[in-house]
Amino acid sequence: MVEQEAGGNTPGRPGGLVVAALIAVIEASGIAVYGITIGLAGLSNPGSVAAPAIQLVLYLLFAGGIGATAWALWRQQRGARTPFVVIQLFALVVGYTLMQGDGDSIHRLGWAVLAMGVVGIALAMSPVVGKALEN
């Protein structure tokens, strides 16, 4: 049952929870686009179609899992917190790895992924998000 605030309004989602869900959506979208890009690149190289196809499936599965986590956060489900934190730990690893790559655009992408991971962990551990996910 949803508690009501004074005046009869139902409380909305805390801003931190909305941002956390948005971070998960951005991450899921990025992984899906990356997987599709690998799949399309495999079509142009007929000798290596199997490996890119498998990678495409795996990346789309990962994106789907992250998308499910975003949906669970949006629905304020208690079980969403742990997978979201694990995803953010992976984001820290990916961001660090990208920062080691060549080119300024790759470094900037690495910083962005790293920042999303740090912000995501901070949000997931915040008391406001924790309280929103207790129901």
Side-chain angles (χ1 to χ4, degrees):
M1 178 165 225
V2 178
E3 296 177 12
Q4 291 188 346
E5 295 177 332
N9 295 330
T10 56
R13 291 172 187 83
L17 187 63
V18 172
V19 172
L22 181 61
I23 286 172
V25 168
I26 291 168
E27 290 167 343
S29 301
I31 290 173
V33 167
Y34 182 70
I36 291 168
T37 302
I38 287 175
L40 292 175
L43 291 176
S44 66
N45 187 358
S48 66
V49 172
I54 292 170
Q55 286 181 334
L56 170 64
V57 169
L58 288 174
Y59 282 118
L60 291 179
L61 286 172
F62 287 141
I66 296 171
T69 301
W71 179 245
L73 284 170
W74 184 255
R75 293 184 59 212
Q76 295 179 282
Q77 293 179 336
R78 180 185 301 191
R81 191 178 205 179
T82 301
F84 181 72
V85 170
V86 171
I87 292 164
Q88 300 321 299
L89 292 173
F90 279 111
L92 295 178
V93 172
V94 170
Y96 177 78
T97 303
L98 287 170
M99 288 173 31
Q100 306 306 311
D102 293 333
D104 288 339
S105 60
I106 298 297
H107 290 156
R108 283 192 287 276
L109 180 61
W111 278 109
V113 171
L114 197 62
M116 280 196 305
V118 169
V119 170
I121 289 172
L123 288 171
M125 295 298 141
S126 72
V128 172
V129 170
K131 185 174 180 176
L133 295 176
E134 285 179 1
N135 300 329

